[in-house]
Amino acid sequence: DVKVTQSSRYLVKRTGEKVFLECVQDMDHENMFWYRQDPGLGLRLIYFSYDVKMKEKGDIPEGYSVSREKKERFSLILESASTNQTSMYLCASRGTAGSGANVLTFGAGSRLTVL
Amino acid sequence: QQQVKQSPQSLIVQKGGISIINCAYENTAFDYFPWYQQFPGKGPALLIAIRPDVSEKKEGRFTISFNKSAKQFSLHIMDSQPGDSATYFCAASWGYNQGGKLIFGQGTELSVKP
């Protein structure tokens, strides 16, 4: 089974703080994604990465950046957290071949509250 | 044109009843339509998916109905059980096998009452 692990389940930060959300997957997947989940808005793509050191903007990249230094790890960075970034953040990964190619596998989520 | 519109936002069904969730899209290039199921405290997980060359796909109590001309697809849960209580997301993508991104609907919170 593919495992996508988000190290922080709950975080509380103050406005202006720098926030790191870490995600690790253990199935050697090429593709990794960060989504934001808000009630009534569904899942919105923030950033994604097709390979190490590669990144592409999703639908709502403003206020966020990402880092992918190793294939298994994809980090989401909030340079200066704001209250409107209070949300559930979901990391996902997806392979490019075999049975894993069509399955986007999610982590359990990181709930961030910005005060 | 990139949106996927999902309804209803919430749904209450009695045990044994049929749950129906609907999604509509505009982009006729979409070629992959999955449904994801999310239990509280968990990430979404793939439930069932369909390609536009078929009108229906069934897996156990879960069925996707696909209407290409109307640009709509729906999830039917037969004999709904309390254990089906979860949030359901429809999604769509084009060129998914070539790395296309999934675009998700707004989600439906399903509650199945005993």
Side-chain angles (χ1 to χ4, degrees), chain B residues 3-80:
Chain B
Q3 281 187 326
V4 177
K5 295 184 179 179
Q6 182 173 347
S7 62
Q9 189 167 351
S10 63
L11 181 61
I12 299 174
V13 174
Q14 290 298 124
K15 179 182 175 182
I18 302 173
S19 304
I20 302 174
I21 304 170
N22 300 298
C23 286
Y25 63 96
E26 289 294 324
N27 189 344
T28 55
F30 286 150
D31 59 4
Y32 177 67
F33 302 88
W35 285 88
Y36 278 75
Q37 179 189 52
Q38 183 183 31
F39 292 108
K42 305 285 188 183
L46 179 66
L47 179 64
I48 187 173
I50 198 169
R51 300 242 178 224
D53 52 346
V54 296
S55 60
E56 186 176 281
K57 183 172 182 180
K58 185 176 181 179
E59 290 185 3
R61 295 184 294 108
F62 299 90
T63 300
I64 300 178
S65 296
F66 185 80
N67 186 330
K68 191 173 183 178
S69 60
K71 292 184 282 186
Q72 295 176 348
F73 59 111
S74 59
L75 177 70
H76 291 66
I77 307 174
M78 310 301 288
D79 187 27
S80 299

Side-chain angles (χ1 to χ4, degrees), chain A residues 37-44, chain B residues 6 9 87 89 105-109:
Chain A
Q37 180 177 3
D38 299 289
L41 296 178
L43 306 175
R44 293 179 292 166
Chain B
Q6 182 173 347
Q9 189 167 351
T87 300
F89 294 97
Q106 293 75 19
T108 297
E109 192 171 344

Side-chain angles (χ1 to χ4, degrees), chain A residues 50-67:
Chain A
Y50 288 133
D51 203 347
V52 176
K53 296 194 185 292
M54 293 183 67
K55 60 185 179 184
E56 292 198 34
K57 293 179 180 180
D59 300 316
I60 53 165
E62 296 79 18
Y64 304 94
S65 62
V66 291
S67 172

Side-chain angles (χ1 to χ4, degrees), chain A residues 86-115:
Chain A
T86 292
S87 187
M88 172 69 82
Y89 291 89
L90 291 164
C91 176
S93 75
R94 178 188 154 195
T96 55
S99 60
N102 284 342
V103 181
L104 190 64
T105 301
F106 285 89
S110 297
R111 182 165 293 282
L112 172 66
T113 300
V114 183
L115 302 176

Side-chain angles (χ1 to χ4, degrees), chain A residues 1-9 20-34 67-76 89-94 105-110:
Chain A
D1 266 4
V2 176
K3 280 202 171 63
V4 178
T5 303
Q6 295 182 232
S7 55
S8 301
R9 292 299 306 273
F20 292 88
L21 300 180
E22 304 286 339
C23 174
V24 177
Q25 50 95 1
D26 67 357
M27 281 299 289
D28 202 35
H29 281 175
E30 293 80 4
N31 305 301
M32 296 189 74
F33 306 80
W34 275 105
S67 172
R68 194 164 180 203
E69 296 296 320
K70 293 185 178 182
K71 190 174 186 180
E72 67 271 18
R73 188 178 298 268
F74 192 35
S75 302
L76 180 69
Y89 291 89
L90 291 164
C91 176
S93 75
R94 178 188 154 195
T105 301
F106 285 89
S110 297

